[in-house]
Amino acid sequence: MSPAIPDYGEIEARLARDGLLARGGFLPDGAGDRDLPRLAGDRPTAAIVMVGNAGPDMWESFARSQEHNERQPHALDRWSRRVLSRAARELGAEARFPFEGPPYLPFLAWAKRAEAVFTSPLGMLIHPDYGLWHAYRGALLFADAPSGLPHKAERAHPCESCRGRPCLSACPVDAFDGAERGAVKPADYDVAACKGHIGAPEGRACLSQGCAARRACPVGPAWRYEPAQAEWHMRAFLGASGSRARMAGS
């Protein structure tokens, strides 16, 4: 017997057991969603609930896991797949992940449909409450829409009222140089310069505390990652290459 379709509150409670957050969702709206993934049995997707993290809760769960302690590559991706696939089975859903591909699913576009997040000058999505201290770990796809799915809140883009945009001048090696200070437009990101600095002795602060540009953002300081979490992400970034060499998903 298939599990009963849960309401949104039940989804939140189940994800919280692994330190994860239900981060809104949306219903497909027709022609614009004809390329959504199909579910088992070739069923259409009726609803998508985004799953992510903010602050330290996810880290506390992950740090106790076998994936973290094995110290093998892509530990957080493997943990995300295990815990979210298990939650999906219990909730009568199917899990999808931003690291599966190519082709990759449009997680950033989905996130913007599900909740009030915006593209920051650093290129990462910024949340009005969490600031830059959040990420998306996957999505739950349902064949029947859960009840209580929240409507996307109307919130102001926090960067539009930010005076001076300190994130753009905080990087010690100007890895985000070339951004337009007068408009919210993502800067060009010099990955090589960033990695070179983090891997050098003078980059110890960025390695142990997290990206200086990210830390300079005045939004969401209460959600800032603790040092162990920040350093783990930065070391994973140093070891990444190609499409994985990005800080937006940490």
Side-chain angles (χ1 to χ4, degrees), residues 51-221:
V51 180
N53 62 277
D57 288 352
M58 183 275 299
W59 172 255
E60 293 173 4
S61 180
F62 170 63
R64 297 191 300 267
S65 72
Q66 62 190 49
E67 289 86 359
H68 177 269
N69 294 326
E70 288 170 352
R71 301 186 182 277
Q72 297 298 312
H74 316 313
L76 186 52
D77 288 351
R78 291 186 290 109
W79 177 85
S80 298
R81 186 189 298 279
R82 178 173 62 82
V83 300
L84 191 50
S85 295
R86 181 179 59 198
R89 290 192 297 272
E90 296 175 11
L91 293 167
E94 293 184 17
R96 298 290 187 274
F97 302 94
F99 49 79
E100 291 180 327
Y104 295 97
L105 293 170
F107 264 79
L108 299 185
W110 286 358
K112 289 181 178 181
R113 292 179 65 177
E115 62 175 343
V117 289
F118 308 88
T119 303
S120 73
L122 301 183
M124 293 178 274
L125 292 185
I126 187 168
H127 186 278
D129 299 324
Y130 306 141
L132 299 172
W133 304 103
H134 69 103
Y136 295 92
R137 298 296 162 204
L140 296 174
L141 278 58
F142 291 87
D144 296 292
S147 60
L149 196 66
H151 294 290
K152 177 182 174 180
E154 294 298 324
R155 306 283 299 273
H157 192 321
C159 302
E160 291 180 346
S161 59
C162 182
R163 299 184 63 180
R165 301 211 177 121
C167 64
L168 293 177
S169 56
C171 178
V173 291
D174 295 324
F176 298 98
D177 196 25
E180 295 183 13
R181 263 60 175 181
V184 178
K185 180 181 178 181
D188 292 329
Y189 177 38
D190 190 337
V191 176
C194 179
K195 283 191 168 187
H197 176 72
I198 296 169
E202 57 268 25
R204 179 63 194 173
C206 287
L207 177 66
S208 62
Q209 300 175 44
C211 168
R214 197 175 188 178
R215 286 185 279 119
C217 176
V219 183

